[in-house]
Amino acid sequence: MIVLADGLTLVERKLLHLRHQPGTLVAMLVMPAVMVVLFGFVFGSAIKVPGGGNYREYLMPGLFVMTGVFALSSAMVDVATDQGRGVTDRLRSMPTARAAVPVGQTGADTVTGLFGLLILMASGLAFGWRAHHGLGHALGAIGVLLLFRYTMSWVGTYLGLIMPSAQTADALAPLTLPLSMLSNAFVPTDGMPGWLRVVCEGNPLSAAVAACRSLFGNPGAAAAGGSWPLTHPLAATLLWSAFLLAVFVPLSVRRFTRAGL
Amino acid sequence: MGNLGQPGNGDSPAVSVHGLRKRYGDVEALSGLDLTVAPGTVHGLLGPNGAGKSTVVRILSTLTRATAGRATVAGHDVAARPDAVREAIGLAGQHAAVDEKLTGRENLRIFGRLARLGRRGARHRADDLLERFELTEAADRLVGTYSGGMRRRIDLIASLLRAPAVLFLDEPTTGLDPRSRLDIWAIVRELVAEGTTVLLTTQYLDEADQLASAVAVVDRGRVIAEGSPAELKARIGSHVDVEVGGEADLAGAVAVLERLTGGRPAVEDLRIVTGVPGRAPSVPRLVRELDAAGVAVQDVGVRRPSLDDVFLTLTGRTTGTGGADGGATGMRRHDRAKEGATA
Ligand SMILES: Nc1ncnc2c1ncn2[C@@H]1O[C@H](COP(=O)(O)OP(=O)(O)O)[C@@H](O)[C@H]1O
Ligand SMILES: [Mg+2]
C-alpha cells in the first residue's frame, strides 16, 4: 500500500514536470510521428523486409521497443540528478519505506511510458501499421513492451545510483541510441556479417522486437535458421526480463537502502 | 500558527554520541568523536572543510553507518532503530535538496506526501509553512528560478514538514549573501524558541556565536574543544591593531594599550599588535584614550577572532594547512580547554 501511494506521488511528480515543460510534452507528441516518417520512409526505401511486407509495419515494433530502451537513460539521468542534488538523501532521511522510492520511480516511469506507447501506436496506425492478430494478442504485445520498459527502467535506476555525477549520466545517456541500433529493430539481421549478427541477435532488444512482431502479426518475425532468442522470442524476452529484474531490483534496492556506507 | 517543534523529553540528551568512528577506505573521517546535545538548544559543530562535520550529520540522520561507536537521536539508537530516528528528525544538507523543475509549493506537497502526511495534510502543511516563512509570493514559481537564498529557505522548510524534534542543518548558510544568511538565522531562532533541537554545522565562528548555546570545535574527526561561544572566544581573545603617526608616539600608545587591555603589546615599525584575552575595548574608546594621551594615531582596529584564530590557538595550525602531529596537539589542547571551562 505504501509503495503504491508513493508510486502515485512520484507519477504526479513526473506529470508536473511535463506540465511545466510544455516543450517536452509537444516533443513527446510529435517525436513519434517524426520517427515513423523519418525511419519508415527513409530507411524503408532501401531496406527489403525478409519474407516481404511493408517496411513501416516491420519498423513499428522496433520503435516501440526503442522507446522502452530510452527508459533506461531517462531513469539513469533522473536518479543521478536526484542523487546529485541531495534529493535522494532527503528521501532516505524520511520515514518513507526506502524500497518504495525506486519501486515508485520505476512504476511511475512505466505509467508515463504507457502513454508514450499509445501515442506512438496512434502514429503507427496513421501511417499504415496494423495489429493483425486481434485484441488479445495486441494486449499481450503491450504487456511485453511494458515489462521490457519496466526492466530497462530498473537497469537505468541502478546505473543512475552508481553514477559519480549527474553530468556523467547526461553524457552517457545518448549511448542508448547505438545500443538500440545493434539489433533487429530497424534492419534485418540476416545480411549482417557473422560476428555482428551474433551481437545483434543476442541483444535482449532483438528478442523483444521479434516477440512484438509475432504478437502483432507484423512481417519479419521468426526468420528460419535464426538463433534461439529469435525463433522463441516471447520466451526469450520473458527470460531476459526475469533475469535482469532478478539482478537489478535487489541491487538497486540495496544500493538505495544502504548508499554511502 | 501551529507549533513546529516538539519539545525534547525531559533532560535526556537529544543527541548523544560516543566514540564515533568512520572510515572511508584509507581515510578516517571520524576518529572517536563524542558529542552531547541538550534538548531545545542549538549545538554548533564548528570546523574547517574536511573536518568530518557532514559525516557526523550523515550518520545521525541514518544516511550512513558508523564504523564504530554509538549514537542516539531523540533516544533512539541510529543503527538499531533507524526508522524511529527518521520519524523524529529533519535534515537540510549542504545543497538545496529540492526538485528544480517543480514550484516551491509542489515540492513541499510531494515531499509532504512522501513523508506520510497524506494528500490533504501535505497540502495544508505546505501552505502553512509557506505563509509562515514568507515564501507565499514565490511559492508558485519553479524553484529553478529562485535565488540561492530562497532555495536554501525552501530546502529548510522542506525539512520541517514533519515538525521534527531534532533538526540537522549542515552548513545552512555557506555561500549565501549576508541578507539571506540573516533570514536563515531568524528561522533557526524561531524553531528553537518553540523547542526544536538543532545540530548545526558551520565553518563560521560568528554563525556559531549568533545561534549556538554550545559549540564543539571539530578537527580531523574529533572534538578538540567544547564550550559556549563566549568561553571559546574568551580563550582565544581578540587582537587590537594600532598604527601610530611616528616613532615618538610608540611609548605612549603602548602604555595606553597595556592599561586598557591587560595584554602585552608587540611593536613592529609603527604598528602595535596586542593580543587581548577576552573582550577587547571598543574602537571609539581606544581612539578617545589614545587621543587623551596625546598619541597621534593613523589607524585603530579590533580584530574579532575568526575560525582561523580558533584553530591557530587550539592546534597551532591554520585551517587550510595540514601540519604534522596535529592530532596529538589537538588532544592536549582539548584537555586544557576542559580545565579552562571548569575553572
Ligand atoms: N563518501 C566518502 N568517501 C570517501 N571519503 C569521504 C566520503 N565522505 C567524506 N569523506 C572524507 O571524510 C573526511 C570528512 O569529510 P566531511 O565529513 O564531508 O567533512 P566536512 O563536512 O567537515 O567538510 C574528508 O577527508 C572527506 O574527504
Ligand atoms: Mg560538509
Side-chain angles (χ1 to χ4, degrees):
Chain A
M1 271 325 284
I2 281 178
V3 173
L4 195 66
D6 285 343
L8 285 177
T9 306
L10 292 161
V11 172
E12 214 173 302
R13 180 181 174 204
K14 262 198 167 219
L15 293 179
L16 285 168
H17 282 168
L18 288 179
R19 211 183 80 192
H20 290 304
Q21 285 165 318
T24 315
L25 197 61
V26 170
M28 205 175 142
L29 293 170
V30 173
M31 265 315 270
V34 172
M35 284 200 295
V36 176
V37 172
L38 193 72
F39 288 95
F41 289 94
V42 175
F43 287 11
S45 60
I47 295 169
K48 217 176 112 40
V49 178
N54 181 338
Y55 178 71
R56 282 184 303 285
E57 283 234 284
Y58 174 83
L59 169 73
M60 285 316 292
L63 288 183
F64 296 152
V65 173
M66 191 173 90
T67 58
V69 179
F70 288 161
L72 187 154
S73 47
S74 72
M76 176 173 80
V77 169
D78 287 354
V79 168
T81 304
D82 273 358
Q83 193 162 254
R85 291 247 164 77
V87 171
T88 308
D89 277 345
R90 157 150 286 144
L91 293 172
R92 292 172 66 245
S93 74
M94 300 196 319
T96 313
R98 284 192 174 186
V101 177
V103 169
Q105 265 164 348
T106 49
D109 174 79
T110 307
V111 174
T112 48
L114 176 61
F115 288 121
L117 187 59
L118 293 177
I119 296 168
L120 188 56
M121 286 182 160
S123 309
L125 286 170
F127 288 101
W129 167 80
R130 293 290 177 271
H132 299 281
H133 290 169
L135 189 63
H137 279 81
L139 289 177
I142 291 175
V144 167
L145 285 166
L146 288 183
L147 174 68
F148 184 76
R149 185 184 177 99
Y150 187 64
T151 308
M152 291 298 113
S153 184
W154 273 103
V155 177
T157 297
Y158 182 69
L159 293 178
L161 284 170
I162 62 170
M163 282 297 138
S165 72
Q167 284 84 340
T168 315
D170 279 334
L172 290 179
L175 284 180
T176 45
L177 187 66
L179 216 68
S180 326
M181 303 297 251
L182 280 177
S183 72
N184 62 356
F186 304 98
V187 190
T189 50
D190 326 22
M192 294 179 179
W195 62 271
L196 186 60
R197 186 171 178 179
V198 170
V199 170
C200 289
E201 294 189 356
N203 189 341
L205 219 111
S206 298
V209 173
C212 277
R213 283 188 183 132
S214 87
L215 285 165
F216 284 131
N218 294 140
S227 53
W228 190 85
L230 293 199
T231 50
H232 304 81
L234 193 56
T237 308
L238 296 180
L239 283 174
W240 263 121
S241 291
F243 169 71
L244 291 173
L245 288 173
V247 171
F248 285 99
V249 172
L251 274 181
S252 307
V253 169
R254 211 179 99 98
R255 178 96 192 173
F256 187 85
T257 313
R258 307 178 37 185
L261 280 193
Chain B
M1 239 154 280
N3 184 17
L4 272 180
Q6 305 152 2
N9 44 338
D11 291 338
S12 59
V15 176
S16 151
V17 174
H18 294 290
L20 209 57
R21 286 178 182 276
K22 176 68 183 179
R23 286 196 80 84
Y24 290 110
D26 286 342
V27 181
E28 185 148 62
L30 297 180
S31 36
L33 184 132
D34 298 312
L35 185 70
T36 304
V37 178
T41 65
V42 181
H43 204 105
L45 272 188
L46 179 66
N49 231 334
K53 304 181 297 295
S54 297
T55 305
V56 174
V57 168
R58 290 181 63 81
I59 292 171
L60 293 178
S61 52
T62 76
L63 297 179
T64 298
R65 280 165 177 273
T67 312
R70 227 175 76 83
T72 65
V73 173
H76 307 292
D77 190 295
V78 292
R81 302 282 326 277
D83 291 324
V85 171
R86 286 175 207 141
E87 298 270 352
I89 62 167
L91 168 67
Q94 250 162 316
H95 359 238
V98 282
D99 189 337
E100 303 203 336
K101 295 192 219 140
L102 298 183
T103 67
R105 195 188 303 275
E106 287 164 352
N107 262 291
L108 295 183
R109 287 181 181 178
I110 296 280
F111 281 122
R113 277 162 64 185
L114 292 171
R116 308 261 160 277
L117 296 181
R119 188 182 276 270
R120 264 176 63 95
R123 208 171 57 226
H124 286 145
R125 184 73 177 154
D127 294 347
D128 283 353
L129 288 169
L130 286 166
E131 193 175 322
R132 172 167 176 182
F133 295 113
E134 289 158 17
L135 265 172
T136 325
E137 255 168 62
D140 297 311
R141 272 178 26 213
L142 292 185
V143 170
T145 69
Y146 283 18
S147 69
M150 280 160 72
R151 277 176 211 225
R152 290 290 179 89
R153 238 184 321 155
I154 197 83
D155 181 56
L156 180 50
I157 293 173
S159 71
L160 304 176
L161 284 161
R162 285 184 58 89
V166 181
L167 180 61
F168 298 113
L169 300 179
D170 194 6
E171 300 197 21
T173 67
T174 297
L176 285 190
D177 58 281
R179 175 69 234 254
S180 307
R181 169 180 291 195
L182 291 179
D183 287 342
I184 300 277
W185 287 0
I187 296 177
V188 173
R189 288 200 183 97
E190 214 175 303
L191 292 171
V192 172
E194 289 166 4
T196 309
T197 307
V198 177
L199 181 66
L200 167 117
T201 80
T202 180
Q203 302 194 33
Y204 309 119
L205 184 63
D206 68 323
E207 182 158 279
D209 194 9
Q210 286 289 326
L211 295 176
S213 50
V215 175
V217 181
V218 182
D219 180 40
R220 294 180 176 182
R222 71 180 97 209
V223 174
I224 58 168
E226 265 180 306
S228 71
E231 283 165 347
L232 282 177
K233 277 196 297 185
R235 250 192 345 263
I236 291 136
S238 33
H239 289 93
V240 175
D241 285 330
V242 173
E243 193 174 340
V244 294
E247 300 262 336
D249 297 307
L250 280 172
V254 165
V256 170
L257 287 167
E258 271 177 346
R259 176 163 56 81
L260 289 183
T261 65
R264 222 173 298 144
V267 178
E268 192 180 309
D269 296 335
L270 295 181
R271 280 169 54 90
I272 309 167
V273 179
T274 316
V276 185
R279 236 182 124 78
S282 70
V283 173
R285 172 139 187 251
L286 284 163
V287 172
R288 252 193 338 266
E289 299 269 350
L290 288 165
D291 215 33
V295 175
V297 180
Q298 285 287 341
D299 195 14
V300 175
V302 173
R303 205 147 44 82
R304 294 288 201 76
S306 67
L307 179 56
D308 273 323
D309 297 321
V310 176
F311 254 79
L312 202 58
T313 311
L314 291 171
T315 68
R317 295 183 279 118
T318 54
T319 48
T321 60
D325 72 38
T329 316
M331 280 305 284
R332 203 166 63 233
R333 302 283 175 160
H334 189 200
D335 293 339
R336 204 166 73 194
K338 270 184 178 160
E339 285 161 24
T342 48

